[in-house]
Amino acid sequence: MNKLEQTLSIIKPDAVERNLDNEIKEIFKKKGFVIKKAKKIQIEKTEAEKFYKVHETKPFYNDLCNYLSSGPIVAMVLEKENAVLENRKLMGATNPKDAKEGTIREKYGISIDKNSVHGSDSVENAKVEINFFFKD
Ligand code: UDP
Ligand code: MG
């Protein structure tokens, strides 16, 4: 069933650092996502820790939070039918080595940690994550 959804996308520091943010935005638009909101920001480590709280018991948590707060990121609200799943498909697998051809992570990802983009993994989490970056 198709329903109009919103999801949170983040262009991560490795991609912003390489000036890939506009190119990645164009990919989303070409695939039919409407970028409802976008902002380039740098967050504090404490904010990254809140954002990635679901991963707090994982061995990579500390490095992940250091990384997300290490440089500018672009946070975006993307809208499309089935946006959550469609964005996950377009992003590709967490490890760029496993990401299918044509996906953003296959194209731009450097490693499992520097994998260029974040995307919400459920409609419920999308709401929480959108609110995290875009409280109005
Ligand atoms: N990550 C990592 N090492 C791992 C697994 C994940 O550095 O072994 C990082 C990676 O940047 C990933 C993020 O933690 O994007 C969140 O992990 P998750 O499993 O939620 O992957 P995603 O939803 O981003 O595909
Ligand atoms: Mg995830």
Side-chain angles (χ1 to χ4, degrees):
M1 205 175 52
N2 293 336
K3 46 189 166 31
L4 196 63
E5 287 174 359
Q6 292 189 341
T7 191
L8 184 88
S9 169
I10 301 174
I11 304 174
K12 292 183 174 181
D14 67 274
V16 176
E17 190 178 81
R18 287 176 285 155
N19 291 312
L20 294 169
D21 40 324
N22 284 330
E23 208 170 311
I24 292 174
K25 281 181 180 173
E26 286 307 313
I27 293 175
F28 285 123
K29 286 192 245 175
K30 231 180 261 171
K31 294 283 179 181
F33 290 90
V34 176
I35 301 172
K36 302 292 283 187
K37 292 179 186 175
K39 62 177 178 188
K40 189 183 273 189
I41 48 166
Q42 182 162 358
I43 62 171
E44 299 287 339
K45 186 177 180 186
T46 51
E47 294 177 279
E49 286 168 347
K50 274 183 225 156
F51 182 75
Y52 274 129
K53 193 155 174 57
V54 293
H55 292 306
E56 72 182 330
T57 61
K58 309 272 172 65
F60 57 83
Y61 179 63
N62 189 51
D63 287 345
L64 175 61
C65 296
N66 279 331
Y67 166 63
L68 194 70
S69 57
S70 67
I73 58 174
V74 177
M76 297 177 288
V77 177
L78 303 181
E79 189 173 88
K80 189 184 196 263
E81 287 194 349
N82 302 317
V84 172
L85 192 63
E86 289 295 309
N87 180 40
R88 296 291 305 190
K89 280 200 256 173
L90 182 55
M91 286 163 59
T94 306
N95 189 339
K97 282 187 197 150
D98 303 326
K100 287 193 186 131
E101 203 175 327
T103 62
I104 293 173
R105 284 169 164 172
E106 180 268 335
K107 206 163 176 207
Y108 303 112
I110 295 168
S111 56
I112 191 162
D113 47 330
K114 295 184 173 175
N115 58 9
S116 305
V117 280
H118 166 85
S120 309
D121 62 4
S122 68
V123 173
E124 198 186 345
N125 283 338
K127 285 180 187 148
V128 174
E129 292 183 354
I130 288 169
N131 192 49
F132 185 92
F133 281 102
F134 299 96
K135 254 181 237 128
D136 345 270

